[in-house]
Amino acid sequence: MNVTLAVKQYVTKMIENSGPGMKVLLMDRETTSIVSVVYTQSEILQKEVYLFERIDSKNRDNMKHLKAICFLRPTKENVEHLIQELRRPKYSVYFIYFSNVISRSEIKALAEADEQEVVAEVQEFYGDFIAVNPHLFSLNLQGVARGRSWEPSMLSRCTQGLTSVLLALKKCPMIRYQLSSDMAKRLGESVKQIITKEYELFDFRKTEVPPLLLILDRSDDAITPLLSQWTYQAMVHELLGLNNNRIDLSRVPGISKDLREVVLSAENDEFYANNWYLNFGEIGTNIKNLMEDFQKKKPKGQQKLESITDMKAFVENYPQFKKMSGTVSKHVTVVGELSRLVSERQLMEVSEVEQELACQNDHSSAQQKVRRLLQNPRVTEWDAARLVMLYALRYERHSSSILPSLMDELSRRGVSERHRRKMVKSVVEYGGKRVRGSDLITATDAVAITRKEFLIFGVENVYTQHQPLLQDTLDQLIKGRLKDSQFPYLGASSLRDRPQDIVVFLIGGATFEEALSVYNLNRSSPGVRIVLGGTSVHNTNSFLEEVMSATGHSGDRAAGAGRHSNRH
């Protein structure tokens, strides 16, 4: 089960179906993102696609020498744009692909508009989602809830995205959902309705153990998206913001023009593919090795090109050097900026206390450390507010809670009353004890951890103690111990066999820390294949926007929030 490969194969098939000759790729806003995360522009250019256009663009030229490959979401707007296009075609022939199921009436309307008979093909290719990693997908949706209920338009979009993933992976699953979440149940019912209605599309070869779709709610674990991250991909998203594999580095001090925006894609960046789940210490070592390797391979400035053979070798190797040079400068810049922000924001000290709040049960120690950091002028307002949110979630019902005092401390820091009170209150309202279906925080014995006992970036270290609730949920599921009373089946008796193919979907957004858990479970559980998806992939900033939106405070954004609120 590989969502990146599934979407990439669809795009490849579209291009190949149109045969040889020059092509234009006509897309909408969403399908542009869907394609751009699996294919680079240069890769598509090699397949004779020389132009990329938006279907809603008003000023496109007539180019009858080009074939048009249309890849569009089956929305009313897109169908209307296509009808107008076919009445006055700008290209010689049209190959039309919808990213999801389209109604017969809309196909009929397109056929009627095609008076000049320029349409060669109409097909459904189910790539209606962003393939972030091979085992992680996103629908790029923000603000899906109003209180504990669906924002109406979002339920249908999530249903479409999720059924598209199932069709792309060729799975007709049994469905389980989180009982404490009405939103999870409603999404499950909506997906089941589509599977029943489009039963012919879901008529895949039966497997001995049916696949499973597990629908969960972000509000069951509001702690994971609030924590500092220490693996490469997650750190980049948390501190710089990853938006469809792109990072905006324009605010980095002294950045060169060609590095203001860079792309991080495991599909065509070997260093990134090998390092995205490694921790920050290992990345530093690997960057150093990458640079040393580059220095050895770099053509010397005074290289003598004395023979035709020398010249030929130089010309053949030059593109490799150029590509390697680009990779080195990109990763050195990104890691350098991460390092600067970690130091500037005192994130090691902050993260250590965050981990203690998330994983341990020593209120006396936690409250002292949080208070001390709140009084440290080098800790940003944003990180100070985050610590108070974690404290509020962790000790909301503790008899000696010092939350009012910490709120006063934030006030002294200059964090505005509105943001301070509303955000902390909203996080507890969104993911506090009252709404959680699971026991997110288990009382563990206080563990005395001193920094010197740990390798600073060792695998088991003070900064990475936390494991998301999702990891425990999936672990129980794989072992056949996930309780039907908390995660019932939708309209079916329970499954006796342990599931092998599992699609997990998080309403309210997933995180890269959870994607790492899934990656590790896939590696350590032979015969089990898990794909994780979410309405979006959050960093702290986008998660808090989600929280504020769900609790009715969407206009109130955090003062001093992180540099970007980009999302996948």
Side-chain angles (χ1 to χ4, degrees):
M1 296 210 299
N2 181 329
V3 288
T4 305
L5 188 63
V7 176
K8 197 158 189 172
Q9 284 175 339
Y10 279 142
V11 178
T12 306
K13 212 167 170 185
M14 285 178 220
I15 297 168
E16 286 173 356
N17 283 1
S18 62
M22 293 168 73
K23 306 165 187 78
V24 56
L25 191 51
L26 261 185
M27 297 175 284
D28 59 39
R29 188 174 57 82
E30 286 179 85
T31 55
T32 301
S33 299
I34 289 164
V35 172
S36 71
V37 295
V38 298
Y39 256 118
T40 62
Q41 206 160 332
S42 56
E43 278 180 302
I44 292 190
L45 280 167
Q46 288 166 11
K47 296 179 180 292
E48 299 185 293
V49 178
Y50 296 109
L51 199 58
F52 304 87
E53 292 278 19
R54 284 269 294 270
I55 188 77
D56 54 356
S57 170
K58 298 271 190 292
N59 304 316
R60 284 183 285 115
D61 295 326
N62 275 328
M63 293 186 161
K64 296 288 187 185
H65 59 292
L66 295 181
K67 298 176 179 182
I69 301 166
C70 307
F71 182 43
L72 305 165
R73 293 205 63 247
T75 62
K76 283 189 169 59
E77 294 78 14
N78 283 341
V79 170
E80 192 48 50
H81 284 310
L82 259 184
I83 286 170
Q84 299 307 322
E85 181 79 23
L86 295 177
R87 283 181 181 151
R88 295 185 192 80
K90 292 182 169 61
Y91 312 106
S92 61
V93 62
Y94 288 75
F95 296 81
I96 301 170
Y97 303 98
F98 290 104
S99 66
N100 218 314
V101 178
I102 183 157
S103 69
R104 285 196 175 88
S105 61
E106 286 172 319
I107 293 285
K108 187 168 178 274
L110 289 172
E112 286 167 358
D114 184 25
E115 291 168 2
Q116 298 185 40
E117 298 185 347
V118 289
V119 176
E121 188 168 65
V122 179
Q123 273 200 64
E124 294 168 352
F125 277 174
Y126 308 104
D128 208 10
F129 54 91
I130 304 282
V132 182
N133 294 351
H135 57 272
L136 175 67
F137 68 90
S138 165
L139 302 182
N140 267 13
L141 299 174
Q142 192 85 2
V144 296
R146 282 287 168 268
R148 314 285 301 150
S149 304
W150 279 100
E151 176 71 47
S153 64
M154 293 292 183
L155 177 59
S156 67
R157 176 65 188 100
C158 279
T159 304
Q160 290 163 353
L162 204 38
T163 49
S164 150
V165 170
L166 297 173
L167 287 166
L169 296 174
K170 299 183 168 47
K171 304 293 171 197
C172 181
M174 295 180 81
I175 301 172
R176 291 182 79 172
Y177 65 94
Q178 183 182 312
L179 183 64
S180 62
S181 167
D182 183 56
M183 289 177 73
K185 186 179 184 185
R186 285 200 62 197
L187 179 58
E189 288 169 343
S190 187
V191 169
K192 192 163 179 56
Q193 215 176 345
I194 298 288
I195 291 174
T196 307
K197 186 183 168 194
E198 304 287 349
Y199 65 93
E200 288 175 342
L201 290 177
F202 285 89
D203 187 19
F204 302 118
R205 188 169 56 84
K206 296 279 185 290
T207 50
E208 206 173 308
V209 182
L212 184 77
L213 169 62
L214 177 64
I215 302 175
L216 306 173
D217 195 313
R218 175 78 271 160
S219 62
D220 232 30
D221 176 6
I223 282 180
T224 297
L226 289 173
L227 298 172
S228 297
Q229 296 301 311
W230 295 102
T231 54
Y232 194 22
Q233 187 180 34
M235 270 185 96
V236 166
H237 192 37
E238 182 60 37
L239 297 178
L240 303 172
L242 256 179
N243 191 1
N244 297 333
N245 287 349
R246 285 175 161 70
I247 316 173
D248 177 3
L249 294 174
S250 59
R251 302 185 208 180
V252 173
I255 192 77
S256 67
K257 200 174 177 182
D258 56 338
L259 287 170
R260 282 183 182 166
E261 183 182 85
V262 298
V263 175
L264 284 187
S265 167
E267 285 297 291
N268 41 53
D269 182 335
E270 198 181 339
F271 181 84
Y272 186 53
N274 292 336
N275 287 275
W276 56 1
Y277 286 135
L278 295 186
N279 68 45
F280 198 47
E282 293 169 297
I283 303 295
T285 306
N286 292 350
I287 281 278
K288 187 168 170 283
N289 294 341
L290 182 73
M291 284 201 66
E292 285 170 358
D293 192 33
F294 176 61
Q295 293 298 337
K296 282 179 205 157
K297 291 180 179 172
K298 193 166 70 169
K300 304 292 179 284
Q302 299 303 311
Q303 188 176 4
K304 290 180 180 174
L305 302 175
E306 292 175 341
S307 67
I308 294 292
T309 312
D310 290 344
M311 290 179 201
K312 194 171 173 228
F314 178 78
V315 169
E316 280 172 2
N317 291 327
Y318 185 70
Q320 279 175 278
F321 294 129
K322 201 168 177 216
K323 187 181 177 187
M324 197 174 177
S325 165
T327 301
V328 171
S329 55
K330 173 172 70 179
H331 289 289
V332 166
T333 303
V334 170
V335 172
E337 180 60 3
L338 293 177
S339 188
R340 185 183 75 81
L341 290 169
V342 165
S343 168
E344 189 181 86
R345 286 170 55 175
Q346 306 252 290
L347 286 178
M348 283 185 178
E349 290 80 353
V350 170
S351 179
E352 193 174 338
V353 177
E354 287 173 6
Q355 292 286 322
E356 184 172 330
L357 285 168
C359 307
Q360 295 173 40
N361 193 31
D362 184 348
H363 178 258
S364 171
S365 163
Q367 55 126 337
Q368 286 171 21
K369 288 178 179 175
V370 172
R371 198 189 286 281
R372 192 166 67 242
L373 278 178
L374 261 54
Q375 291 166 353
N376 179 344
R378 287 189 63 193
V379 172
T380 66
E381 290 176 14
W382 176 243
D383 294 322
R386 222 155 36 99
L387 284 165
V388 175
M389 286 176 220
L390 284 165
Y391 176 88
L393 283 170
R394 182 67 181 82
Y395 294 111
E396 61 179 297
R397 293 186 182 172
H398 196 280
S399 56
S400 308
S401 170
I402 60 159
L403 187 58
S405 164
L406 295 178
M407 298 290 264
D408 290 342
E409 199 66 61
L410 284 182
S411 180
R412 280 193 286 278
R413 291 288 311 262
V415 182
S416 80
E417 174 79 10
R418 191 177 65 169
H419 289 134
R420 184 173 71 255
R421 293 225 175 270
K422 278 192 176 166
M423 291 201 80
V424 175
K425 186 180 166 216
S426 292
V427 163
V428 174
E429 191 183 320
Y430 180 88
K433 239 179 182 134
R434 192 176 58 80
V435 296
R436 289 200 297 267
S438 307
D439 189 9
L440 176 60
I441 298 152
T442 50
T444 53
D445 296 326
V447 183
I449 295 180
T450 58
R451 290 251 302 258
K452 66 177 183 289
E453 287 175 287
F454 284 88
L455 275 172
I456 192 151
F457 285 115
V459 177
E460 296 298 328
N461 72 41
V462 71
Y463 306 105
T464 55
Q465 300 167 70
H466 176 261
Q467 290 187 338
L469 177 65
L470 179 71
Q471 181 152 329
D472 182 58
T473 306
L474 289 175
D475 199 45
Q476 298 292 320
L477 178 65
I478 291 164
K479 290 172 179 165
R481 294 183 195 150
L482 194 64
K483 291 177 182 169
D484 290 12
S485 57
Q486 287 176 301
F487 300 92
Y489 285 82
L490 198 64
S493 55
S494 60
L495 188 65
R496 282 186 201 149
D497 299 293
R498 294 174 188 181
Q500 293 174 338
D501 289 347
I502 303 163
V503 177
V504 195
F505 188 75
L506 263 164
I507 298 165
T511 65
F512 283 122
E513 188 183 343
E514 287 155 335
L516 174 61
S517 293
V518 166
Y519 172 75
N520 287 332
L521 281 167
N522 279 332
R523 289 173 70 200
S524 62
S525 318
V528 174
R529 293 166 291 274
I530 309 169
V531 164
L532 170 66
T535 43
S536 58
V537 177
H538 283 310
N539 55 18
T540 302
N541 201 350
S542 65
F543 169 64
L544 288 171
E545 284 180 17
E546 190 82 45
V547 166
M548 299 301 269
S549 169
T551 54
H553 300 130
S554 53
D556 308 317
R557 291 193 46 197
R563 293 175 40 187
H564 299 283
S565 62
N566 296 340
R567 65 183 190 276
H568 260 289

